[in-house]
Amino acid sequence: MKRFFAILVAVVLVGAASAQTKEIRVLLANHPYGELLKNAIPEFEQATGIKVIVESLQESQLTTKLTTEFATGSSSVDVFMTRPLQEAKMFYKNGWYAALPGYDFSDFPKNSLSVVTFGTKTYVVPIVTEWQVLYYRKDLLQKAGVEVPKTLADLEATAKKINSPDVAGFASRGKGAAAVTQLSTYVYNYGGLYLDKGKAVFDSKPALDAIKYYGRILGNYGPQGATSMSWENIMPLFQAGKLAMWTDASVFYGQIIDPAKSQVPAANIGIANMPAGPKGSSPFIVVSWGMAIAKKTKNLELAGQFLTWATSKEFAKRALASNITMARNSAWEDKEVLKVVNPDLVSTRAFAAKNGYPLDRPYMSAVGEARDRIGELVIESINTKGGSTKLEPMAKDLVRKVNELLEDTGEYGVY
Amino acid sequence: MVRTGFVEKNLRILFPLPAIAFVMVMMIFPIAYTAFLSFTNWNLTSGQPLNLVGLRSYARVLREPRVLDAIGRTFLFTGGAVFVEAILGTTVALVLHREFFGKGLMKLLLLLPLVATPVAIGIVWNLFYDPTIGLANYALSILGIPKLAWVSDARTVIAALVVVDVWQWTPMISLIVLAGLAGLSSEPYEAARVDGATERQILWNITLPMVMPTILTAMILRTVDALKTFDIIFAMTGGGPGYSSETLNVLGFKYSFEYFKMGQASVILVFLFAIVLLCSILIMKVRDRTQV
């Protein structure tokens, strides 16, 4: 009898304890913002008494994890980081995002909300914006006696001049699908697009000229093995001083000037607007990351509390102060914050906000496969240094395949 | 009393029941469900519920050149890896079958690649293969050989992956063959020596034929495993550059978790299942024929 009572008491105590712990599960990306947030979570836990279980994943694995959990209906995820341009259409269609009726979106740029608003409801809070820039080594350009390239023709000439067996003149992503986002600005600057009015158009002459240019400059002056390089592979080369110029998203600036990670002194690293092409300069400026609440969450209120904290004005300022390019307007207007942010980074944002294009990839549900398809062209172009005669027939065929994907998901001709 | 009678009478059904249930739930069901999905058009990007579409997913998959390429590549990778592993593994086993100083240490070192985690192996080999800062090209440059791009070049990627697979799995063949060698009876050897056979004759005419069934068994195990290799390829190249190291398994992953076309992904996995099954049956037939 005694033992029975002891067990009963234990069960009641455990039950009471678990009823009291307020707990949420949060999935973050391995991204500078995700890192910063993860380190700050203890502050949130202390202030609210909510226990946060955090998991951090590499971006494509995050998509896979979320999709598998949501599709099987077994998910216990409450809040998660999401890539609007990659996931929003699919997640919205499948009903995996909770709407955010009470959230104040007035501090966000209008075009950043357009990709996460379906009908009248907004489903994702934009966190980070990224735009494409040119990173360059001031010392190497100076030594070669050249100015910072203003046009794509200049960029190619400069890459040629600096390229040597020790230091590659130029790099940009060459790894098929991963390259598609960074190629986009080149396509825009030549006057092309990936999709137009819900149809694939990357076989147009301007788009093909851009793809040929990209292959030529990377094939001739890029690092060895360019076709298997994404930013994870290029950044270490830049940090090791083996690269003179690099075009990629603005978000990496903080990491390449960090003396703990880079062997190149910050004073030698410059950041500039993307060089202009025949049709001017229109770099992509996109919401690369947002945060959302899972539709099936059982802790809607706690999840909302976490979302509000993690996407607050205060936190945005903190993140911007460590060179993470946040979406909120107020952070970019705060004089105290701007004092510590590199002025060149600020000016490239102003340029992109004024002249940029809000997409960096074909915006469609089947974006993963579409990127692989366009990636085929990128790889063929790099392998042949832009000289392949197969590019045009390949592009025609791939456009047909991407249109087929649009038809499969009922998005063909819809815009 | 009646109950006991029931149990007593049906022992031969009741005792294997847990095992049968396990096989049904963990093996038969997933295979049957994959086969079922292959007749649907389940596609998460469309946001539509799944529909039975007969053989349409099969037609779509077969029309895709990537799939045929991946089938060829799966055989190329498996054939290359298992062939080299069988030769190297048997050689190592023959060496280790003799007595020499440090044999125990050799065996221990041989085991290390087998117990390492594949993804970790992939990362380390990728560092080794890095075209700009990797050790492999540094070694080539010392020898005065021009640099290679290894896994970053469509022409060399499969060979480079085969090397990693060989590095990891040769020891397994060695261990199995070594066990086979230890079990051989000594009588044929004594007879051969009495007849004045040379060491080489003994190796070719006695040892190898007698241990051949063991070698073939080891090759079956390796072939089945190599056909469905995923971890090393995915960790090292993700199927790239381009599609140049996409095997069926990697392609199946991409179709399901990157393109979210579950129906077509199931078709690819049904193909892989059929290939593994056919290969196993084929090699088993060959082995039965060599059985002494």
Side-chain angles (χ1 to χ4, degrees):
Chain A
M1 206 57 192
K2 224 182 209 174
R3 189 185 284 173
F4 173 77
F5 272 113
I7 291 173
L8 190 72
V9 169
V11 167
V12 168
L13 279 179
V14 168
S18 64
Q20 272 177 359
T21 14
K22 296 187 286 180
E23 204 175 80
I24 53 169
R25 180 162 168 241
V26 177
L27 258 56
L28 302 178
N30 285 338
H31 177 280
Y33 169 83
E35 299 291 314
L36 190 76
L37 186 64
K38 197 164 82 179
N39 293 331
I41 278 176
E43 298 168 23
F44 174 77
E45 290 183 321
Q46 238 163 23
T48 60
I50 300 173
K51 186 166 166 32
V52 183
I53 299 170
V54 190
E55 287 161 59
S56 293
L57 293 127
Q58 191 264 336
E59 59 191 40
S60 61
Q61 284 158 4
L62 180 64
T63 308
T64 305
K65 174 109 177 151
L66 289 169
T67 311
T68 328
E69 287 208 15
F70 291 148
T72 51
S74 66
S75 176
S76 60
V77 175
D78 296 303
V79 184
F80 57 97
M81 274 173 80
T82 175
R83 290 181 288 167
L85 296 179
Q86 189 78 15
E87 302 165 344
K89 274 201 172 176
M90 179 171 113
F91 281 27
Y92 164 71
K93 273 190 193 172
N94 285 293
W96 295 339
Y97 287 137
L100 305 168
Y103 200 91
D104 175 13
F105 284 103
S106 61
D107 192 26
F108 294 91
K110 282 264 172 328
N111 63 358
S112 75
L113 293 172
S114 64
V115 288
V116 290
T117 304
F118 298 94
T120 54
K121 289 178 182 165
T122 305
Y123 292 84
V124 177
V125 181
I127 305 173
V128 181
T129 44
E130 291 178 11
W131 56 95
Q132 199 170 12
V133 293
L134 169 69
Y135 298 114
Y136 64 95
R137 286 276 302 276
K138 289 179 181 168
D139 52 332
L140 295 179
L141 262 65
Q142 205 171 23
K143 212 170 87 189
V146 285
E147 297 279 309
V148 180
K150 291 270 187 305
T151 65
L152 291 179
D154 289 347
L155 182 72
E156 196 176 352
T158 308
K160 184 176 179 184
K161 197 160 187 189
I162 298 181
N163 192 46
S164 74
D166 275 342
V167 178
F170 172 82
S172 191
R173 300 183 200 177
K175 185 175 175 180
V180 170
T181 52
Q182 307 312 312
L183 170 70
S184 70
T185 300
Y186 292 82
V187 172
Y188 305 152
N189 289 0
Y190 264 90
L193 284 173
Y194 289 140
L195 299 184
D196 191 21
K197 302 192 170 69
K199 292 174 188 170
V201 292
F202 55 84
D203 59 344
S204 68
K205 182 163 188 314
L208 274 172
D209 284 345
I211 292 168
K212 285 177 190 163
Y213 172 89
Y214 199 77
R216 194 167 71 232
I217 187 168
L218 258 180
N220 283 318
Y221 317 118
Q224 216 181 357
T227 52
S228 58
M229 287 187 151
S230 183
W231 63 266
E232 304 96 301
N233 316 89
I234 298 174
M235 189 158 67
L237 289 184
F238 196 90
Q239 289 167 331
K242 292 193 172 290
L243 186 58
M245 296 186 290
W246 172 29
T247 59
D248 210 303
S250 51
V251 68
F252 301 116
Y253 184 67
Q255 279 164 286
I256 57 173
I257 58 162
D258 184 349
K261 292 176 179 160
S262 186
Q263 293 169 32
V264 182
N268 286 345
I269 296 172
I271 175 171
N273 288 326
M274 280 295 289
K279 284 277 157 21
S281 184
S282 182
F284 75 70
I285 176 162
V286 297
V287 182
S288 55
W289 286 100
M291 194 170 273
I293 296 179
K295 181 78 169 277
K296 284 200 169 167
T297 177
K298 293 189 184 73
N299 307 305
L300 189 60
E301 207 193 307
L302 305 184
Q305 247 177 300
F306 181 82
L307 180 85
T308 308
W309 171 78
T311 60
S312 64
K313 283 183 185 175
E314 290 65 39
F315 203 80
K317 283 177 195 163
R318 227 161 105 180
L320 183 56
S322 38
N323 286 312
I324 302 171
T325 52
M326 302 302 284
R328 277 188 179 273
N329 286 326
S330 58
W332 291 91
E333 285 153 9
D334 189 291
K335 294 213 167 57
E336 288 303 306
V337 177
L338 288 185
K339 267 186 208 159
V340 295
V341 178
N342 182 299
D344 290 336
L345 188 65
V346 178
S347 75
T348 58
R349 177 185 184 261
F351 179 83
K354 187 158 169 249
N355 306 296
Y357 190 74
L359 300 174
D360 63 355
R361 65 198 75 187
Y363 185 48
M364 54 196 282
S365 296
V367 57
E369 185 167 0
R371 284 178 72 165
D372 265 351
R373 294 306 186 186
I374 300 172
E376 288 182 37
L377 286 174
V378 177
I379 288 176
E380 171 70 14
S381 183
I382 295 172
N383 280 340
T384 58
K385 301 187 172 155
S388 172
T389 50
K390 281 197 293 185
L391 281 172
E392 273 159 57
M394 264 179 87
K396 290 247 166 337
D397 182 48
L398 293 167
V399 158
R400 186 182 57 72
K401 283 179 174 159
V402 171
N403 280 333
E404 205 171 75
L405 293 173
L406 287 164
E407 281 162 15
D408 280 351
T409 52
E411 290 164 20
Y412 182 73
V414 180
Y415 58 96
Chain B
M1 227 42 210
V2 178
R3 209 179 291 158
T4 321
F6 176 80
V7 172
E8 293 280 323
K9 268 186 207 156
N10 297 291
L11 269 186
R12 63 203 173 100
I13 298 174
L14 286 177
F15 275 25
L17 213 56
I20 292 172
F22 179 83
V23 169
M24 293 298 283
V25 174
M26 304 304 287
M27 295 164 95
I28 310 280
F29 174 74
I31 293 171
Y33 192 62
T34 306
F36 162 72
L37 285 181
S38 73
F39 297 109
T40 72
N41 65 349
W42 189 20
N43 182 342
L44 283 172
T45 59
S46 71
Q48 304 290 325
L50 57 91
N51 284 313
L52 278 168
V53 292
L55 290 171
R56 215 181 303 159
S57 290
Y58 282 82
R60 278 286 285 271
V61 166
L62 284 174
R63 227 176 49 204
E64 175 58 58
R66 271 171 86 180
V67 176
L68 300 179
D69 288 349
I71 293 176
R73 213 173 279 125
T74 307
F75 281 115
L76 184 69
F77 173 81
T78 306
V82 175
F83 179 71
V84 177
E85 282 159 21
I87 292 178
L88 272 181
T90 309
T91 313
V92 171
L94 288 169
V95 171
L96 284 180
H97 191 50
R98 294 155 184 266
E99 284 306 320
F100 58 90
F101 178 73
K103 185 174 146 181
L105 185 69
M106 276 283 285
K107 273 189 178 169
L108 183 74
L109 289 177
L110 207 61
L111 272 175
L112 289 181
L114 275 182
V115 292
T117 316
V119 174
I121 291 175
I123 293 171
V124 173
W125 275 90
N126 258 357
L127 282 176
F128 181 76
Y129 277 148
D130 188 290
T132 311
I133 48 180
L135 202 62
N137 271 350
Y138 180 69
L140 288 188
S141 71
I142 289 176
L143 298 172
I145 300 170
K147 288 180 174 180
L148 285 176
W150 304 101
V151 286
S152 307
D153 187 331
R155 288 162 300 183
T156 50
V157 61
I158 291 290
L161 289 171
V162 164
V163 169
V164 180
D165 196 75
V166 166
W167 175 83
Q168 193 186 8
W169 292 109
T170 298
M172 189 187 100
I173 303 238
S174 297
L175 287 179
I176 297 176
V177 175
L178 204 55
L181 286 172
L184 297 184
S185 74
S186 56
E187 282 156 20
Y189 290 91
E190 285 159 14
R193 290 219 171 78
V194 169
D195 288 345
T198 62
E199 282 296 314
R200 209 171 133 187
Q201 281 172 323
I202 290 177
L203 175 68
W204 282 107
N205 298 325
I206 297 178
T207 311
L208 282 180
M210 286 211 301
V211 83
M212 196 47 92
T214 315
I215 296 176
L216 288 175
T217 307
M219 282 175 78
I220 296 180
L221 291 172
R222 265 319 293 148
T223 304
V224 170
D225 237 17
L227 281 171
K228 41 183 203 158
T229 304
F230 176 78
D231 34 28
I232 283 187
I233 300 178
F234 193 75
M236 289 186 67
T237 68
Y243 307 140
S244 57
S245 60
E246 261 176 12
T247 56
L248 269 183
N249 223 351
V250 173
L251 190 65
F253 178 88
K254 281 198 177 174
Y255 263 67
S256 44
F257 296 116
E258 283 177 19
Y259 304 165
F260 306 107
K261 303 204 281 199
M262 302 301 179
Q264 293 183 37
S266 303
V267 173
I268 292 172
L269 294 177
V270 167
F271 286 163
L272 180 63
F273 178 73
I275 288 173
V276 172
L277 196 68
L278 281 177
C279 285
S280 314
I281 292 174
L282 209 71
I283 305 179
M284 258 145 76
K285 284 248 180 315
V286 174
R287 189 189 55 172
D288 289 347
R289 218 172 277 172
T290 54
Q291 210 95 25
V292 190

